[in-house]
Amino acid sequence: MAEESKWRPPGDEDDDEEEIDETAYKTAKDAVLFVIEVSPPMLTPPPATDAKKADRDSPTSAALKCAYALMQQRIISNPNDMMGVLLYGTAKSRFNDEDESSANLAYPHCYLLTDLDVPAAEDMKALKSLVEDEDEFKKLIVPSEEDVSMANVLFCANQIFTTKAPNFSSRRLFIITNNDDPHANDKSAKSSAAVRAKDLYDLGVLIELFPISRPDQEFDKRKFYDDIVYNQVPTDPEAPAPISAVTKSSSTGDGISLLSSLLSNVNSKAVARRALFSNLPLEIGPGFKISVKGYIIFKCQEPRRSCYVWLNGEKAQIAHGVTTRMAEDTARTVEKVEIKKAYKFGGAQILFTPEEISQLRNFGEPCIRIIGFKPISMLPLWANLKPATFIYPSEEDY
């Protein structure tokens, strides 16, 4: 993300206002869909113990609490980002307008608990009630007696992203499970799931796996998920992020909390990677250009105010700023067509039309041009004004 300029010359506040066509750009927002398995092993809590820091949540319960915690964070830090929760392996089925009463279910044993959308108060209340009310949890979270097809689950996620977040620059699928081989005896089902996973990657969706080891068995990604989640190539920043470390479910109820481990793993991937600039030509020589993307190597993530909230009405509302220019002497509203820009030269105001100002600011098409090389020993320390930018070749344009 580009850093904003800290200083602007006096009187230059309005000179940089230009009409920007944003239709060619993707929406710089993030969409995250939690896909949580519901099965008897995922619903088995750790053995009871007298320890104060004991694990008391089953893996499914911990995953739902993790999704609720991340949703709370997103409402404050990124209120325009989308989140959703999809359960699979449930006895009940629900997808958009479909439910158990529908004749033909498109995605059996898939329960869309929270649709992919900007979190609303109703979604927060429903998810909070589910994670805090044990009776409601047991009533809804009932595992299916039939096996669920992972290809069907991934295709369901594909439909959700396609319909709800078609133009988002960042779309991610968080899979939380402790079953490392859901189709152990069905090679055809494995192949179908791999094809559906490839479809998601072609759509631009990154699949993140948050595996949970059982007390008596380590999670082995090689059995199934190596074909679903692509490993990252260290030199390729466009590749999906590496698979998360395996979260261990305590066999005694003591030690590190499962919920804390899941929260730590999810928070480490909560911020989507975004390019500082994309598809910018790098001119190596006359007539020789390649397209590159730029990334900031290091940037401290700080809390920022994303919006203002007006609390003086019947209900809280997000305030939207509006700028109105007024004449100093008559206090009447000044329209944009009445404003003229001028520069003081030789004691007189020289007027410029918007076309002339645009021509003055035009230095040619944006590009990175190599004009020479200099040994690093000749560069003083004070010449480093901003963090370094990592550029990587892109094959989209040149």
Side-chain angles (χ1 to χ4, degrees):
M1 292 179 287
E3 294 182 351
E4 297 181 356
S5 176
K6 303 297 183 182
W7 178 85
R8 303 181 69 180
D12 194 41
E13 288 80 3
D14 299 328
D15 288 347
D16 290 335
E17 292 182 1
E18 295 181 3
E19 297 294 332
I20 300 176
D21 182 15
E22 298 181 352
T23 57
Y25 295 89
K26 288 186 176 181
T27 308
K29 299 177 184 177
D30 187 27
V32 175
L33 178 65
F34 278 84
V35 177
I36 303 172
E37 182 188 9
V38 176
S39 63
M42 284 285 288
L43 293 175
T44 303
T49 180
D50 296 332
K52 293 183 179 180
K53 296 184 179 181
D55 284 338
R56 293 180 175 85
D57 297 316
S58 65
T60 298
S61 176
L64 288 172
K65 290 182 179 180
C66 179
Y68 175 66
L70 185 61
M71 192 176 291
Q72 285 181 309
Q73 296 174 11
R74 286 299 180 91
I75 286 179
I76 299 173
S77 60
N78 303 90
N80 294 322
D81 288 352
M82 288 186 175
M83 276 194 63
V85 179
L86 174 67
L87 306 176
Y88 71 95
T90 55
K92 296 182 179 180
S93 303
R94 188 181 77 173
F95 180 76
N96 292 340
D97 297 332
E98 294 181 356
D99 54 19
E100 292 294 331
S101 60
S102 301
N104 296 319
L105 294 173
Y107 308 104
H109 308 303
C110 292
Y111 194 92
L112 188 57
L113 182 64
T114 302
D115 202 359
L116 186 66
D117 205 342
V118 176
E122 291 76 12
D123 300 328
M124 294 293 298
K125 290 179 181 178
L127 195 53
K128 181 180 180 181
S129 176
L130 183 63
V131 299
E132 293 182 353
D133 191 340
E134 187 175 350
D135 293 335
E136 184 175 350
F137 181 88
K138 291 181 178 179
K139 180 180 178 181
L140 178 62
I141 310 299
V142 179
S144 170
E145 296 180 357
E146 303 175 0
D147 294 334
V148 61
S149 169
M150 287 303 298
N152 207 34
V153 173
L154 295 175
F155 187 56
C156 178
N158 191 317
Q159 293 298 310
I160 294 173
F161 281 115
T162 303
T163 56
K164 292 296 183 177
N167 295 321
F168 277 35
S169 59
S170 172
R171 292 176 288 183
R172 294 178 293 166
L173 186 69
F174 289 0
I175 300 179
I176 303 178
T177 177
N178 66 357
N179 187 1
D180 56 6
D181 196 4
H183 301 302
N185 301 317
D186 193 342
K187 291 184 178 180
S188 176
K190 282 186 177 181
S191 178
S192 299
V195 171
R196 293 302 184 187
K198 181 63 166 58
D199 292 342
L200 281 170
Y201 279 114
D202 291 342
L203 189 65
V205 178
L206 298 184
I207 300 178
E208 307 275 11
L209 176 65
F210 296 91
I212 301 174
S213 287
R214 302 181 185 182
D216 56 344
Q217 180 184 352
E218 288 289 331
F219 194 99
D220 189 357
K221 298 184 287 287
R222 296 171 297 179
K223 293 181 178 179
F224 177 78
Y225 282 98
D226 274 354
D227 297 329
I228 303 298
V229 182
Y230 294 173
N231 290 323
Q232 182 190 26
V233 181
T235 57
D236 186 0
E238 286 300 294
I243 298 176
S244 302
V246 177
T247 302
K248 295 185 177 181
S249 180
S250 176
S251 59
T252 62
D254 297 329
I256 301 175
S257 169
L258 175 62
L259 176 60
S260 299
S261 301
L262 272 178
L263 280 174
S264 176
N265 287 340
V266 172
N267 283 332
S268 67
K269 296 174 181 283
V271 180
R273 295 180 298 169
R274 293 176 178 142
L276 178 64
F277 54 81
S278 300
N279 304 329
L280 189 67
L282 171 64
E283 185 176 326
I284 301 176
F288 183 26
K289 296 181 180 179
I290 63 172
S291 179
V292 296
K293 288 187 176 183
Y295 299 86
I296 296 178
I297 296 178
F298 174 80
K299 181 176 176 62
C300 181
Q301 185 182 1
E302 300 174 350
R304 60 181 179 85
R305 181 188 293 273
S306 57
C307 61
Y308 291 88
V309 180
W310 186 60
L311 300 175
N312 293 332
E314 295 182 359
K315 63 177 183 178
Q317 297 181 356
I318 296 178
H320 300 279
V322 177
T323 301
T324 303
R325 293 179 174 85
M326 304 180 67
E328 186 177 0
D329 51 352
T330 60
R332 73 177 184 86
T333 302
V334 179
E335 301 296 334
K336 189 175 182 179
V337 294
E338 301 180 63
I339 300 175
K340 296 182 179 180
K341 296 184 178 181
Y343 288 92
K344 192 172 183 179
F345 183 79
Q349 296 285 350
I350 309 299
L351 296 177
F352 288 88
T353 63
E355 292 78 13
E356 291 173 334
I357 293 178
S358 178
Q359 292 177 2
L360 289 173
R361 292 176 174 173
N362 185 16
F363 295 95
E365 293 295 327
C367 74
I368 300 176
R369 181 176 292 112
I370 298 177
I371 59 177
F373 297 90
K374 184 176 291 187
I376 195 171
S377 60
M378 296 183 63
L379 295 176
L381 185 61
W382 53 263
N384 185 20
L385 300 180
K386 291 184 177 180
T389 301
F390 175 74
I391 59 174
Y392 190 82
S394 171
E395 298 181 359
E396 296 183 16
D397 285 345
Y398 298 93

